[in-house]
């Protein structure tokens, strides 16, 4: 079974053969058909998120169920699925509240199976699976509760993106911030997640959709996805420009799709009094941003974080599939380039260079 393994931070992924144990109780084996190249993988590759290695990376993917172990009822061999990179125990406080993205039903590390054991080995060494799945692999054995069945008409690369960037961006608008029709929205960062914040704002009926990035080619993408205005932050002051576009007041909602000190402060400065700023992009764990408590109180500003767009995967993944099949959700335009697994490091180079909306690994 071939998979892309990170052995050491700041070294390329190694595509190698691994031994894979079959699914145990409550688990399934999935043949991966497509897997997106995401900045979260890069955070592990470059050491921003120090996690135990070696690890199969990848967490945004879709595939076909091949085999299920006893105790699995909601999927069966032949089903098409999208992986959720969060567990859904169904019993913890957060699952009970309908917020399964925050599920804390399992005390075991988030890079192995639910029971704390591992299914992958190479030369006698356990290999971890990113987010308990690790989808840069021909086959994944994981907890079946992390698999969301979908309609079989869905094409694979587009389906894969519904595993991370699409729900993260669209959900940030529709599920976390709950943007109203007519509202003004600023989006900082127009990569795979930011473009989905833009299209989430379009789906929500936002009035002004102001997209901001450092690269003009990404701003072109943003226009395709529904941005009404674009700002190049290398040439313009984002906060001043956003205020100017909203009568000097500031936007109703601002989203940081990058994750960092400067952008956190920009979204807080760019919203009007009473407005909401949302942190969507995942920063390095060490980043801090100094907020001004006086201004937060005096101007009644809200700062929120969202993980995975605060979606409910079992509800929202099939909804996003429907929206795509009805022609209302743009996904074809996101899949800029596809690669075989052997070329995965080129996929990360293209992402780092800002050349692609999203690169996708396809398997055959
Ligand atoms: Zn991701
Ligand atoms: Zn739970």
């Amino acid at each position: 079974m071939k998979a892309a393994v990170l052995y050491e931070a700041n070294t390329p992924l190694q595509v190698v053969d691994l031994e894979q144990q079959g699914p145990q109780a409550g688990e399934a084996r999935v043949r991966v058909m497509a897997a997106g190249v995401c900045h979260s993988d890069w955070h592990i590759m470059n050491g921003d998120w120090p996690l135990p290695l070696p690890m199969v990376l990848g967490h945004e993917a879709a595939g076909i169920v091949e085999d299920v172990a006893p105790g699995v009822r909601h999927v069966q061999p032949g089903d098409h699925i999208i992986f959720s990179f969060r567990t859904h125990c169904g019993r913890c406080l957060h699952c009970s509240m309908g917020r399964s993205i925050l599920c804390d039903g399992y005390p075991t590390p988030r890079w192995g199976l639910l029971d704390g054991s591992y299914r992958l080995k190479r030369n006698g060494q356990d290999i971890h699976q990113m987010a308990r799945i690790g989808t840069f692999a021909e086959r994944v054995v994981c907890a079946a509760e992390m698999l969301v069945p979908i309609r079989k008409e869905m094409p694979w690369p587009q389906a894969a993106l519904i595993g991370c960037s699409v729900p993260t961006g669209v959900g940030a608008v529709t599920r976390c911030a709950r943007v109203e029709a007519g509202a003004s929205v600023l989006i900082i960062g127009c990569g795979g997640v930011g473009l989905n914040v833009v299209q989430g704002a379009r789906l929500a009926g936002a009035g002004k959709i102001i997209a901001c990035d450092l690269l003009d080619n990404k701003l072109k993408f943003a226009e395709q996805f529904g941005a009404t205005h674009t700002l190049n932050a290398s040439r313009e002051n984002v906060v001043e420009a956003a205020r100017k576009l909203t009568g000097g007041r500031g936007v109703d909602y601002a989203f940081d799709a990058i994750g960092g000190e400067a952008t956190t402060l920009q979204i807080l400065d760019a919203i009007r009094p009473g407005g909401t700023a949302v942190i969507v992009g995942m920063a390095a764990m060490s980043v801090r941003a100094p907020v001004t408590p006086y201004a937060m109180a005096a101007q009644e500003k809200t700062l929120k974080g969202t993980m995975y767009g605060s979606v409910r995967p079992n509800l929202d993944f099939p909804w996003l599939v429907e929206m795509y099949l009805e022609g209302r959700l743009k996904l074809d335009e996101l899949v800029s380039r596809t690669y075989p697994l052997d070329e995965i490091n080129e996929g990360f180079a293209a992402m780092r260079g800002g050349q692609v909306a999203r690169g996708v690994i396809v398997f055959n």
Side-chain angles (χ1 to χ4, degrees):
M1 198 286 291
K2 274 204 314 185
V5 180
L6 181 69
Y7 271 88
E8 202 182 327
N10 296 301
T11 64
L13 296 177
Q14 295 182 35
V15 177
V16 291
D17 256 310
L18 301 180
E19 294 162 44
Q20 185 170 51
Q21 190 189 3
Q24 307 300 298
E27 297 172 6
R29 185 175 59 220
V30 177
R31 178 181 168 201
V32 179
M33 300 303 292
V37 173
C38 176
H39 271 274
S40 295
D41 305 298
W42 179 252
H43 279 304
I44 301 176
M45 290 170 71
N46 71 6
D48 278 350
W49 299 349
L51 298 180
L53 304 176
M55 184 182 287
V56 176
L57 300 187
H59 59 283
E60 176 182 77
I64 304 173
V65 177
E66 277 192 336
D67 199 5
V68 299
V72 174
R73 285 187 300 272
H74 83 292
V75 287
Q76 53 191 358
D79 282 355
H80 292 196
I81 61 87
I82 296 171
F83 290 89
S84 164
F85 62 75
R86 287 287 172 162
T87 57
H88 185 177
C89 79
R91 297 173 309 278
C92 74
L93 175 76
H94 298 111
C95 283
S96 302
M97 296 170 87
R99 303 191 63 185
S100 63
I101 294 308
L102 301 175
C103 176
D104 59 3
Y106 304 99
T108 49
R110 286 207 181 124
W111 38 86
L113 279 289
L114 299 182
D115 63 3
S117 64
Y118 298 94
R119 299 287 167 267
L120 297 174
K121 265 193 196 317
R122 183 164 181 248
N123 303 327
Q125 183 182 27
D126 283 326
I127 310 285
H128 303 131
Q129 293 170 241
M130 178 179 181
R132 301 183 187 273
I133 49 181
T135 56
F136 293 146
E138 293 173 325
R139 304 278 186 293
V140 171
V141 171
C142 68
E145 69 183 51
M146 303 179 78
L147 308 177
V148 179
I150 55 162
R151 283 172 60 180
K152 291 190 176 174
E153 302 93 304
M154 192 65 196
W156 291 115
Q158 288 84 342
L161 302 190
I162 295 179
C164 176
S165 57
V166 177
T168 299
V170 174
V173 176
T174 60
R175 299 301 193 209
C176 175
R178 297 171 186 265
V179 168
E180 315 86 359
S184 55
V185 177
L186 171 72
I187 299 100
I188 298 182
C190 298
V193 169
L195 289 174
N196 281 296
V197 177
V198 171
Q199 78 169 332
R202 175 176 54 79
L203 290 168
K208 287 201 172 73
I209 303 174
I210 307 162
C212 163
D213 202 283
L214 293 166
L215 298 173
D216 287 327
N217 68 316
K218 289 196 170 181
L219 294 174
K220 279 269 173 315
F221 285 138
E223 283 172 0
Q224 278 185 13
F225 280 77
T228 59
H229 300 76
T230 58
L231 301 172
N232 187 316
S234 69
R235 295 193 295 266
E236 287 181 90
N237 179 311
V238 172
V239 173
E240 280 174 19
R243 286 212 185 118
K244 202 182 279 178
L245 287 167
T246 49
R249 199 182 291 124
V251 293
D252 299 317
Y253 297 91
F255 296 85
D256 174 9
I258 296 173
E261 177 181 340
T263 48
T264 299
L265 298 176
Q266 280 172 335
I267 54 172
L268 270 177
D269 282 345
I271 54 174
R272 64 167 168 79
T276 300
V278 184
I279 301 172
V280 188
M282 302 294 287
M285 287 178 187
S286 57
V287 169
R288 299 286 180 278
V291 303
T292 310
Y294 172 81
M296 294 292 294
Q299 301 184 352
E300 293 198 353
K301 289 187 170 180
T302 300
L303 178 61
K304 299 179 87 168
T306 179
M307 160 57 77
Y308 224 153
S310 313
V311 296
R312 285 160 287 181
N314 291 328
L315 178 70
D316 288 310
F317 290 4
W319 171 66
L320 290 164
V321 166
E322 291 295 326
M323 297 276 276
Y324 169 79
L325 292 173
E326 288 169 7
R328 299 175 62 199
L329 186 74
K330 285 179 189 282
L331 298 182
D332 301 342
E333 297 82 349
L334 277 176
V335 182
S336 310
R337 215 178 282 177
T338 60
Y339 310 85
L341 185 62
D342 287 323
E343 291 171 20
I344 189 162
N345 290 301
E346 280 98 287
F348 279 99
M351 183 192 75
R352 295 295 301 152
Q355 298 160 22
V356 290
R358 206 63 159 177
V360 180
I361 307 298
V362 289
F363 298 79
N364 37 36

